[in-house]
């Protein structure tokens, strides 16, 4: 009997996609091709690397989250125009750059982590990339933690990320050399390592719509696991 494995996989993916949509999972937080295609390195390679050329390079490294430095407030009130942190004076938002009274602002992510691989540690700042970790945007996050943050699934996700291993995507150029020397990196994207191993459809030769050919989450429901297992077996 002939079975078309690409067709089987496409159906499995479509089902997964529909299910995530039904669960209101935000598919815009799925990992990009950039993280997949970036060169895999160690933290030490990034710290020691010197880039003479003006070329921008993307690297990824795996590391465990050792500490979440601002787990209670992983965001800031940001001027909508320049993304500057606004100051509140008598409950009026002021931006140091715009210098406008009652400036229009919004919550934006700013998460600070200390991470380590087997040899080195470093500090990683996530701005909008925090949504890859928490699965929602900053507005949704700040709303979810009110009135009790312990009841927020997103807050729990943040707390539980400690000691877990993630892949971090960083952009390296000559300008951030000083930050690299000080072990401070900005991650453009983050992906849990186990998730990445679970499925990697991009290696396949099938062409699918971009959102569903990306990798993501097996986490909670066993239904998903079964689907993924099957896809994996077919792959081999
Ligand atoms: Zn401003």
């Amino acid at each position: 009997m002939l079975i078309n494995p690409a067709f089987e996989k496409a159906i499995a993916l479509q089902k997964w996609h529909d299910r995530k949509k039904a669960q209101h999972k935000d598919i815009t937080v799925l990992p990009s091709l950039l993280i997949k295609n970036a060169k895999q390195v160690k933290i030490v390679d990034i710290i020691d690397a010197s880039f003479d050329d003006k070329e921008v390079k993307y690297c990824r490294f795996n590391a465990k989250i050792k500490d979440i430095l601002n787990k209670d407030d992983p965001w800031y009130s940001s001027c909508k125009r320049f993304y500057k942190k606004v100051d509140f004076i008598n409950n009026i938002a002021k931006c140091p750059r715009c210098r406008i009274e009652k400036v229009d602002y919004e919550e934006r992510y700013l998460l600070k982590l200390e991470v380590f691989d087997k040899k080195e540690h470093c500090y990683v700042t996530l701005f909008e990339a925090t949504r890859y970790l928490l699965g929602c945007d900053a507005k949704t996050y700040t709303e979810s933690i009110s009135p009790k943050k312990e009841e927020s699934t997103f807050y729990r996700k943040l707390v539980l990320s400690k000691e877990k291993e993630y892949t971090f995507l960083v952009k390296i150029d000559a300008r951030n050399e000083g930050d690299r020397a000080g072990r401070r990196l900005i991650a453009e994207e983050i992906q849990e390592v186990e998730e990445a191993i679970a499925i990697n459809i991009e290696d396949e030769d099938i062409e699918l719509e971009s959102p569903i050919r990306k990798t993501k989450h097996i986490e909670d429901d066993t239904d998903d696991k079964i689907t993924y297992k099957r896809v994996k077996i077919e792959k081999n």
Side-chain angles (χ1 to χ4, degrees):
M1 193 173 75
L2 279 169
I3 296 167
N4 182 348
F7 186 63
E8 277 276 297
K9 264 175 281 198
I11 290 173
L13 275 164
Q14 188 61 54
K15 276 185 179 168
W16 167 84
H17 178 257
D18 292 345
R19 199 159 47 238
K20 290 298 165 197
K21 241 184 150 175
Q23 291 167 358
H24 304 291
K25 294 252 160 110
D26 185 356
I27 58 166
T28 63
V29 299
L30 302 188
S32 73
L33 277 173
L34 209 53
I35 197 165
K36 181 200 178 310
N37 295 336
K39 191 185 173 197
Q40 180 92 37
V41 298
K42 303 275 182 213
I43 290 173
V44 67
D45 300 325
I46 297 170
I47 292 166
D48 292 347
S50 62
F51 290 86
D52 300 326
D53 49 26
K54 294 279 172 277
E55 194 191 345
V56 174
K57 290 190 172 77
Y58 283 93
C59 297
R60 62 166 194 238
F61 65 91
N62 287 1
K64 275 186 182 177
I65 295 177
K66 188 179 180 183
D67 198 12
I68 305 162
L69 302 172
N70 61 335
K71 75 176 166 63
D72 292 328
D73 53 349
W75 75 89
Y76 69 104
S77 297
S78 160
C79 159
K80 280 190 179 175
R81 197 163 160 211
F82 294 115
Y83 300 161
K84 288 273 177 194
K85 189 183 175 185
V86 301
D87 298 315
F88 291 94
I89 298 156
N90 299 326
N91 286 325
I92 295 166
K94 279 187 180 177
C95 167
R97 183 146 173 202
C98 299
R99 297 175 178 279
I100 299 169
E101 290 278 330
K102 293 183 188 171
V103 72
D104 207 8
Y105 69 94
E106 64 189 342
E107 267 83 41
R108 293 185 74 82
Y109 277 131
L110 197 174
L111 178 64
K112 292 178 174 183
L113 306 170
E114 186 183 8
V115 307
F116 67 104
D117 61 16
K118 287 188 177 75
K119 282 185 175 168
E120 299 287 338
H121 82 112
C122 69
Y123 298 96
V124 175
T125 300
L126 300 172
F127 291 98
E128 285 311 290
T130 306
R131 73 182 196 276
Y132 290 101
L133 180 66
L134 302 181
C136 68
D137 60 34
K139 189 171 180 282
T140 308
Y141 183 81
T142 52
E143 283 166 5
S144 80
I145 57 165
S146 169
K148 276 187 87 175
K149 63 175 183 284
E150 286 78 9
E151 283 167 11
S152 161
T153 52
F154 302 120
Y155 175 75
R156 284 206 295 271
K157 207 166 179 182
L158 176 62
V159 173
L160 292 173
S161 68
K162 212 169 151 178
E163 297 298 329
K164 278 189 190 161
E165 191 179 18
Y166 292 87
T167 303
F168 296 87
L169 176 73
V170 291
K171 191 169 86 177
I172 295 174
D173 56 32
R175 283 186 309 171
N176 57 30
E177 200 174 344
D179 283 339
R180 280 187 280 125
R183 295 173 183 273
R184 293 184 307 274
L185 306 173
I186 292 170
E188 308 276 323
E189 213 170 302
I190 177 171
Q191 182 185 17
E192 196 174 339
V193 167
E194 280 187 14
E195 287 177 352
I197 294 166
I199 189 168
N200 208 335
I201 297 301
E202 281 124 339
D203 289 335
E204 301 301 311
D205 50 7
I206 51 168
E207 279 300 316
L208 296 165
E209 297 256 350
S210 58
I212 49 168
R213 59 196 289 244
K214 292 176 175 180
T215 63
K216 188 63 185 171
H217 293 257
I218 28 172
E219 47 173 28
D220 36 35
D221 58 74
T222 43
D223 193 5
D224 277 8
K225 275 182 195 159
I226 293 159
T227 308
Y228 278 123
K229 248 182 208 158
R230 210 177 70 216
V231 171
K232 239 183 143 183
I233 292 160
E234 282 165 355
K235 241 177 93 175
N236 296 335

